[in-house]
Amino acid sequence: MEGKRISVSPRPCRGRRVVAKKRPRLDGFVNSVKKLQRREISSKRDRAFSMSNAQERFRNMRLMEEYDTHDPKGHCSLVLPFLMKRTKVIEIVAARDIVFALAHSGVCAAFSRETNERICFLNVSPDEVIRSLFYNKNNDSLITVSVYASDNFSSLKCRSTRIEYIRRGKPDAGFALFESESLKWPGFVEFDDVNGKVLTYSAQDSIYKVFDLKNYTMLYSISDKHVKEIKI
């Protein structure tokens, strides 16, 4: 299973860290002849050629629209001060005519690609900190993975909301997923879009469970404290 894994963290604002190395300048990649020449003589031919192609691919891209997830007035009676702060966007998910943007603070907003206006916020609880998003194309819904201040940010909670309801501005019309699972650290939930499966790990009883991504029914479970990893 090469899916998207979200692990439990005791800190609500803790995000994934990606260290970007400084890339060398691509001087000399001015035309196709030099690109092919560099590809043939470079010790890393494929990488050099792909980097030059990427530069050409995005050369004509232009800014079409801007979306802002920050609401200075606050979208609800927030009880967490850091949710009111402007932070960088860490996830962008596109689902049909809606774009979802998740900020590092844990606030997630939905925008219409037709009107370019903000539809609603996905935080349905004042103390909800959304950690990650997953678009389930099997039933046209968005899955949010969140932690809550009332739970001391100790366990993951999943919720599924149909895109149709979000389009109507009703993010609270969703329903909870995997309520029987204790997803406390070091537990996790992993979504595998390719195989249509969800893998959960309950650290409390050391049980792995596999669910069907279409209807969220449990398919089977594996109970073994010596299991370290599962691949599908």
Side-chain angles (χ1 to χ4, degrees), residues 111-202:
F111 300 90
S112 171
R113 300 174 68 178
E114 295 180 351
T115 63
N116 294 321
E117 295 181 353
R118 185 170 58 214
I119 301 174
C120 62
F121 287 95
L122 275 295
N123 304 68
V124 298
S125 175
D127 66 336
E128 179 182 8
V129 177
I130 298 178
R131 292 282 308 280
S132 189
L133 309 172
F134 179 79
Y135 172 57
N136 187 357
K137 60 184 180 183
N138 295 278
N139 53 26
D140 196 29
S141 64
L142 183 79
I143 299 177
T144 54
V145 183
S146 308
V147 291
Y148 295 82
S150 57
D151 190 38
N152 198 26
F153 310 108
S154 62
S155 60
L156 298 174
K157 304 294 182 181
C158 302
R159 185 175 68 251
S160 175
T161 309
R162 291 187 61 84
I163 299 298
E164 178 184 355
Y165 296 143
I166 298 175
R167 190 180 292 112
R168 297 176 185 175
K170 298 180 179 180
D172 55 346
F175 57 91
L177 299 175
F178 319 125
E179 291 184 287
S180 61
E181 307 308 302
S182 177
L183 301 179
K184 294 185 177 182
W185 189 88
F188 63 81
V189 58
E190 182 173 334
F191 301 96
D192 184 2
D193 190 33
V194 176
N195 296 299
K197 301 292 186 295
V198 181
L199 173 66
T200 63
Y201 174 62
S202 176

Side-chain angles (χ1 to χ4, degrees), residues 30-143:
V30 293
N31 54 44
S32 299
V33 176
K34 288 191 176 182
K35 291 175 188 175
L36 292 170
Q37 183 183 31
R38 189 61 173 263
R39 183 187 70 173
E40 295 300 323
I41 65 177
S42 173
S43 59
K44 298 180 179 179
R45 293 186 293 270
D46 295 337
R47 179 172 179 271
F49 190 66
S50 62
M51 291 172 65
S52 63
N53 281 347
Q55 196 177 48
E56 291 293 329
R57 188 180 302 116
F58 297 106
R59 173 174 292 181
N60 296 323
M61 293 188 67
R62 297 292 184 269
L63 177 65
M64 300 296 294
E65 190 64 40
E66 292 185 1
Y67 300 125
D68 192 357
T69 61
H70 181 66
D71 186 355
K73 298 180 181 180
H75 59 280
C76 63
S77 55
L78 297 171
V79 298
L80 305 176
F82 59 81
L83 290 178
M84 297 291 293
K85 297 181 179 179
R86 182 183 292 277
T87 57
K88 61 183 180 181
V89 173
I90 59 174
E91 276 192 50
I92 297 177
V93 175
R96 296 184 179 273
D97 57 341
I98 300 179
V99 175
F100 300 94
L102 175 62
H104 187 265
S105 62
V107 172
C108 180
F111 300 90
S112 171
R113 300 174 68 178
E114 295 180 351
T115 63
N116 294 321
E117 295 181 353
R118 185 170 58 214
I119 301 174
C120 62
F121 287 95
L122 275 295
N123 304 68
V124 298
S125 175
D127 66 336
E128 179 182 8
V129 177
I130 298 178
R131 292 282 308 280
S132 189
L133 309 172
F134 179 79
Y135 172 57
N136 187 357
K137 60 184 180 183
N138 295 278
N139 53 26
D140 196 29
S141 64
L142 183 79
I143 299 177

